[in-house]
Every structure is written in C-alpha cells, then in structure tokens.
Amino acid sequence: MESHKLHTVRFIPIGTSVDVPQGTTLLEAARQANVPITSDCGGDGACGKCRVVICEGQVDGGSTEAFTREEIRRGYVLACEGRVREPVMVAVLREARLGSSATIGDEGAEIFSGAAEVAFSRDEIDPLVTKHHLVLPPPSLDDNAGDLDRLTTALRKRQPGEFQMGLKQIQALPGLLRNNDWDVTATAAYRGSLTEIVQLEAGDMTAGNLGLVVDLGTTTVVAHLVDLRSGETLGATARYNGQVNSGADVIHRILVAEAEGVQGLQQAAVNDINALTEELMQRYHVSRNEITVAAIAGNTTMLHLLLGLDPSSIRREPYVGASYSPPAFRATEIGLRLAPRALLYCLPMISSFIGADIVAGVMATGMDESESVNLMIDIGTNGEVVIGNREWLMCASASAGPAFEGSQTRNGMRAQPGAIDHVKILDKERLLSFSTVGSAPPRGICGSGYIDLLAELLRTRLMDRSGLLDLTSGSSRIRGENQNDCEYVVIRAGESGAEKDIVITQTDIRSMLLAKAAIYTAARLLLQSLGLTFDDVDRLYVAGAFGNYLGLENAIIIGLLPDMPLDRIRSAGNTAIAGTKLALLSKKQYERARDVAAKMTYLELGTAREFMDEFVSAQFFPHTDVEQFPTAAAALKG
Ligand code: FES
C-alpha cells in the first residue's frame, strides 16, 4: 500500500540515492534514480533478471521462487517486486547491471557498431548540412542589395535553390557581416525544396563540419561520428539502450509509456545519444559546435519515443503510428546536445512494425537498385524481412521476440565480455571448444552462441528435432526431473573461471524454436505471397550486427535461415548505420530513403490465413518438411 511518506533508497556500487514514497518498487526507484537494472519483462516479475540484494533495511513483498535458500538468506529480491517500507541500501548485482545502459566496452562496441562501410567517392558527397565560406562584396551605391540578398546571392553560386533564414539570424546578420569584413561561414541545411541557413559564423569555419549517425535500437544504441567534407568515419561507439528498466521489447516500452507518459523513455534515449556524442567528442577532440547534424534510424517505436510521440496506437489495431516521415527538427528541441542550431533528421519509417532501420538496411544492401530479387532478414530484437528489387519491395515483420539477443532465456546475455559466442560439442560429455566475447571467463550465452549450441545438440543427438533434450542419453550434462524442467549444462561452475553453471534449459530451447520459426515463416510467406520461392532469391542479406558473428551453416541447420548455398548469403553487418550514413552524406540518398519507404509494401502476416500452418510446421529443427532443408538434413544425418 503506497503512502506519502518518503524513504531514501541508496543504490550501490553506483552510489546514487533517491527519495521515493513508501510502497514504491525498487525497480521504479531505480528508474527515478537513473540506475539501469535489466528488466526484460518490464517489471512483470516474469524474467527474473532484476535481481538485487538488500544490504541495509528491509522491503515488503518479493516472491522467493526465483532464489535459492542461501540467496534469500543473503537478502536477494526481485527489484520489480520488493517495495520500499523504510530507508534501504540496495546492491545492484553485476548480472543486472551489466547488460544495462553502461557503455558496452571495446569488444561490444565493435560488435554492435560494425557497419558495412559506405563506398562514396568525394564528388558524390553532398551532405544534408554544408558549411560555405563566403567573402561577400561590401555594398556600395552601385550595389545596394540588402544584406540577406547579398548573402543568398553568394550562396546560390555554391548551391542553387531557394533559402530561408530565421528572424534571429537575420537580426544578427548586419552586425556580423560588418564586424568581420564581410567574411563569414554559412551553414546550410537541406529542407527539401528549400535550404535553411541555420547558422552564420565569422571567418572561415568550414574545417569543422561533422555529423552524427545513430542507430537507435531497442537493445543497443550505436553512434558514428562522420566528417561531412571527406565522408570519413572518425569513430564509433555503442551503449545499451537506457530504457532497459522498462522492458526488453517494444511492447513493454509502449506499456510503460502508456502508464507513465513518454517523457521518461524519451529522456533515456536522449541521454544515451548525448552520452555517446560526449564520448566521441572527447575521443576525437572535437567541439560540440562542429557537430551540425544528426541522422537517426531506428524501429518505429524507438523513433516515436525519441521524438516524444505517443506510441500507444502502434500496438493497437489498426496499428498506426503518429508520424512515419517526420520532417527535420532542431536537435535541441528534444534535448540533444550538438551545435546549438544542429538539425535532426529521422529516416522514414514504413509502418508500426517496420521502421527506419529497415529502410536504411535496404539502402545499404542496394536491394532497391538491384535487377535481381534479393532478400534481407534482420535478426534484431524483432525479426524483419524484406524482399524485392529495383521495381518493387515488400516487407513483413515476425514477432520473434528478443530470444536471440539473450533475453527471455535463463543464462542469456548480450554480446558483451564473457558471453559464449561460439561452441562445439565433442560428444555427450565433452565440449570440443567454446569462445567468449573478449576471451573473458564465461558468464552467459549470446545469440550466436545459442545458434551454435542448438545445432551442436542436434548433431550430437542430445536434442531431438522437436527440440527435446534427451533425458535418457546418459549424459551427465543433461539434468532435471522431467522433460519440462530439464537443462543442458554448457559450462560447469568453476570451469574456465565460470562463477556459476551456465545452462540452456528446455524452456530456452522452446523460446528459440518459436523465434526461429517466426523469422523463417515470415520470409517464406512473403515469398509465397509473390509466387516465389527461395530458389528465386539471388542473394540473402543477414542484417544486424549479430549477422557478422552468426555461424551461417548452423543458422541453416536449425532452420533460422533458409537452406540456400552459402555463397548466396551475405552477413551485411549493421545496415541501419550504413544506410543512415548514406543519407547523411548525400541529399540524393536522403531522398532515396523516402523513395524506398514509399515503394515498400507491408504485408501483415497476422492476417494471412496460412500463417499459423506455416508457423507450426517451422517449429521443428530445421523444419517438419525436411525437403525445404536438404543440406541441413544431410548434415544431421551424417
Ligand atoms: S522479473 Fe523483475 S523485471 Fe522481470
């Protein structure tokens, strides 16, 4: 029962405190204190990832099911269940803390920011924001054009078209020109048929014109700093999305926005981008004033939250967002800390479930310019599929859930140090090899590790094709009373420095089975709706940073990817960043993004009659219909 009495909650080792009313959950207190705690289920008490320890004081509530007797004795509670009843000191465990909005670290940043580099020749570079150094002829009795006309006439020689300028800038213009011998730098920003003169500075300031490219993902936020004159990327960094306290997937985030308003989630996204900007500025010794523009891609919910748009209609029939093609805004309007008058361009979205990240992906892979039919599968927090060529594009979204991102599984984690990313099983008792991100002691399993693990369990027949672990195998690694709660122990506590047993449970396998079935079904149905099969696909692009680390053969063996020849499959990396960079560096490419969005048709799979049949058939490794997976079937037989 909540009361108005306030109590202090102190979080260690972060060292932050917050005063909250009695009855507030620790998760809510953490949210208010800006302490990121992993909460994949958004506070439903279902994921068990928000474990904290009460070091001083006591809390009300909190189920004991998620803990061992020893853990209960030591004060473990789920942050979403423990309610404040007196001042408390709370230790946020490493497992709940890492995987949160902390900076990802070098290995993680490399994984998430690994974007396909955009190939641009210098003369193709025509960025959204350009700086022009101008030395204007001073007025005379023979040349008495007004100051603004004088400026735009000079500018028009550099870039044709019409110009607009804000009143405050015009007010400052006469003084600036006369005090600086008519020697100024104008920053010109693309606004479709108009060009806005966003800023005027004294002298030649063209050397510092940088842009920020951001992929605002549900799980990770990636930023690249780009030199707008050369097109070169100065550097990249990434962090986990600070909205993590509000759930792992977009639906949980929308539910939180509905309950509490959009501001908290918006602020979290803005804070992430500001923190990444700050890091890049320090690392590359650039000043805020040099960053004149940001171009951002993300899924539709993420972009709504960033812009402070109400996302609630995204999850309700008829699933319509507030805006799919927002115009450029002043970045400060949402609190981004770039140059004072910097602009923020969001790439266009397609629908509630297909966002700007997919538009960017299409551009990065060049699908929209290809004569042949290509397919792109983006395995992110959700699964999105696009098929098409230069004539047409069609897309669908698969409610795959974030299982391959390490959520909703017992020892799942994101690809950060200690995550098992590859594994090979020798026989029923022994592993042949495994590797972890950063070669750190194993702490959990990330998506590519799960894919290897499933394929290896199939190969060694420790798991059957319906995904059931073989309790009768005689392997000491498979343990459990019955089929429903059994698990396979990948690494035992103490092995290779592991602090605890790292397992894949029967329930984890079920989540993976559903996720891979959803993604494969979406791709197959999309093709079927066009009368095509995978044989008609010239090239399959696997998008998402995850794609770079995925064992393609194993992804086929488990039926996540179609059984196509490997030389027709490409890991495309972070295509959201690559496509957004194209748009930032070229007005033509920015317009191309709009064309891609306009051209793309969205197929709502939920309404497709065949969906359920196909989805159920795909809930087998690799599939109930092995004819669709001849190579995988042969490999498993062998
Ligand atoms: S169990 Fe607490 S957030 Fe999921």
Side-chain angles (χ1 to χ4, degrees):
M1 173 81 77
E2 295 198 9
S3 88
H4 292 300
K5 200 164 174 199
L6 293 180
H7 296 298
T8 302
V9 181
R10 191 145 67 87
F11 292 98
I12 61 167
I14 304 111
T16 313
S17 303
V18 65
D19 292 336
V20 292
Q22 188 163 322
T24 306
T25 65
L26 295 173
L27 185 64
E28 176 52 33
R31 234 178 245 160
Q32 290 182 22
N34 236 346
V35 173
I37 292 181
T38 302
S39 55
D40 291 353
C41 68
D44 291 345
C47 70
K49 297 255 166 126
C50 62
R51 293 148 58 101
V52 294
V53 179
I54 307 299
C55 304
E56 277 176 26
Q58 290 192 356
V59 294
D60 287 326
S63 61
T64 52
E65 288 153 23
F67 304 106
T68 62
R69 211 172 295 157
E70 175 59 14
E71 287 171 334
I72 295 165
R73 194 188 61 73
R74 284 162 57 192
Y76 279 63
V77 290
L78 292 179
C80 65
E81 292 187 342
R83 289 182 182 273
V84 176
R85 76 159 184 236
E86 60 183 23
V88 279
M89 185 161 84
V90 180
V92 182
L93 297 169
R94 196 166 61 140
E95 64 205 54
R97 211 169 59 231
L98 286 169
S100 64
S101 75
T103 300
I104 282 171
D106 287 348
E107 296 91 352
E110 201 186 305
I111 290 171
F112 292 111
S113 60
E117 240 345 291
V118 294
F120 244 152
S121 74
R122 269 200 179 232
D123 32 321
E124 281 176 298
I125 294 175
D126 177 23
L128 292 173
V129 172
T130 316
K131 282 190 172 185
H132 297 283
H133 176 223
L134 303 165
V135 180
L136 306 181
S140 65
L141 287 176
D142 297 328
D143 175 11
N144 57 2
D147 292 347
L148 180 56
D149 289 334
R150 189 170 300 278
L151 178 73
T152 52
T153 303
L155 262 178
R156 208 164 283 125
K157 288 181 186 151
R158 304 283 181 84
Q159 69 179 79
E162 294 303 312
F163 295 88
Q164 66 174 45
M165 197 171 179
L167 182 57
K168 281 211 174 110
Q169 300 290 304
I170 300 173
Q171 286 166 342
L173 182 61
L176 188 81
L177 291 175
R178 284 167 183 79
N179 292 337
N180 295 286
D181 293 332
W182 305 85
D183 180 347
V184 290
T185 296
T187 305
Y190 181 66
R191 286 203 180 259
S193 56
L194 284 175
T195 298
E196 181 189 354
I197 305 168
V198 285
Q199 197 175 6
L200 273 180
E201 297 164 279
D204 182 357
M205 301 298 286
T206 50
N209 191 23
L210 304 173
L212 195 68
V213 177
V214 179
D215 169 22
L216 180 59
T218 312
T219 307
T220 49
V221 187
V222 181
H224 284 210
L225 189 61
V226 179
D227 184 326
L228 296 175
R229 294 194 310 171
S230 65
E232 276 167 31
T233 301
L234 299 188
T237 187
R239 56 194 279 130
Y240 290 115
N241 189 320
Q243 297 168 344
V244 68
N245 289 18
S246 304
D249 55 47
V250 295
I251 297 300
H252 277 104
R253 309 268 172 96
I254 294 173
L255 290 172
V256 170
E258 285 176 11
E260 300 171 6
V262 78
Q263 294 80 2
L265 291 156
Q266 180 186 29
Q267 198 53 54
V270 168
N271 289 348
D272 282 339
I273 298 172
N274 282 340
L276 293 173
T277 310
E278 214 66 49
E279 196 187 321
L280 290 167
M281 280 166 48
Q282 281 181 17
R283 204 190 293 168
Y284 299 101
H285 309 290
V286 304
S287 79
R288 195 177 308 287
N289 282 348
E290 293 174 79
I291 308 176
T292 57
V293 56
I296 297 191
N299 66 51
T300 304
T301 301
M302 286 303 112
L303 292 185
H304 272 61
L305 295 175
L306 175 71
L307 299 180
L309 302 174
D310 178 3
S312 49
S313 52
I314 287 178
R315 74 174 186 95
R316 293 204 174 88
E317 244 187 85
Y319 313 112
V320 173
S323 168
Y324 294 142
S325 191
F329 296 103
R330 200 71 66 206
T332 49
E333 278 190 69
I334 59 164
L336 290 183
R337 293 201 301 268
L338 309 175
R341 294 178 59 77
L343 288 183
L344 163 68
Y345 294 81
C346 289
L347 259 64
M349 299 152 251
I350 316 265
S351 72
S352 284
F353 299 112
I354 302 281
D357 49 345
I358 300 304
V359 171
V362 168
M363 291 168 68
T365 56
M367 290 176 68
D368 60 318
E369 293 178 334
S370 165
E371 286 203 21
S372 55
V373 173
N374 292 324
L375 178 68
M376 179 174 79
I377 299 182
D378 189 328
I379 308 166
T381 309
N382 228 344
E384 288 100 359
V385 183
V386 183
I387 184 152
N389 60 17
R390 62 200 289 179
E391 307 291 332
W392 52 268
L393 290 163
M394 202 152 176
C395 62
S397 149
S399 318
F404 289 117
E405 296 206 314
S407 287
Q408 297 171 350
T409 48
R410 173 86 64 81
N411 293 138
M413 62 182 284
R414 294 153 185 165
Q416 56 194 15
I420 297 172
D421 56 356
H422 289 294
V423 60
K424 261 190 165 310
I425 298 175
L426 181 64
D427 56 34
K428 66 179 186 176
E429 287 301 335
R430 291 172 296 171
L431 291 190
L432 184 63
S433 60
F434 76 94
S435 63
T436 61
V437 175
S439 303
R443 292 199 305 112
I445 310 166
C446 65
S448 58
Y450 274 122
I451 287 168
D452 279 3
L453 199 49
L454 293 173
E456 291 292 307
L457 288 170
L458 280 171
R459 274 199 191 102
T460 49
R461 297 192 165 65
L462 291 168
M463 177 180 80
D464 70 14
R465 289 186 42 227
S466 68
L468 296 178
L469 288 170
D470 185 359
L471 274 169
T472 62
S473 66
S475 168
S476 66
R477 285 181 183 266
I478 297 182
R479 63 190 186 193
E481 296 288 295
N482 56 53
Q483 195 68 57
N484 287 338
D485 69 5
C486 65
E487 58 195 24
Y488 171 84
V489 186
V490 188
I491 304 285
R492 296 189 176 94
E495 275 176 20
S496 307
E499 288 175 4
K500 59 179 183 189
D501 287 349
I502 297 171
V503 303
I504 181 169
T505 68
Q506 190 62 71
T507 314
D508 295 345
I509 294 170
R510 182 74 194 147
S511 302
M512 301 283 163
L513 189 64
L514 293 178
K516 77 96 192 166
I519 291 169
Y520 179 78
T521 304
R524 190 165 143 84
L525 282 186
L526 203 50
L527 285 162
Q528 270 180 8
S529 71
L530 295 155
L532 301 174
T533 70
F534 289 112
D535 290 339
D536 298 305
V537 174
D538 188 46
R539 188 154 290 177
L540 164 62
Y541 295 101
V542 184
F546 175 47
N548 281 342
Y549 295 84
L550 189 76
L552 292 177
E553 276 176 70
N554 283 345
I556 292 172
I557 285 198
I558 68 163
L560 169 64
L561 296 181
D563 200 342
M564 286 170 60
L566 290 179
D567 61 357
R568 279 166 49 204
I569 306 180
R570 293 273 183 288
S571 292
N574 187 334
T575 51
I577 283 283
T580 309
K581 204 176 284 179
L582 286 173
L584 174 77
L585 286 171
S586 158
K587 300 176 182 94
K588 210 166 118 193
Q589 295 289 335
Y590 180 69
E591 288 304 329
R592 177 180 162 206
R594 291 171 174 266
D595 289 346
V596 167
K599 202 156 90 173
M600 187 111 68
T601 308
Y602 175 63
L603 179 72
E604 175 61 57
L605 290 178
T607 60
R609 241 191 9 257
E610 309 86 349
F611 179 77
M612 257 308 150
D613 293 344
E614 284 289 344
F615 183 50
V616 171
S617 306
Q619 289 172 34
F620 225 67
F621 292 120
H623 198 278
T624 44
D625 176 11
V626 278
E627 281 183 17
Q628 291 183 37
F629 286 86
T631 318
L636 288 176
K637 225 179 210 167

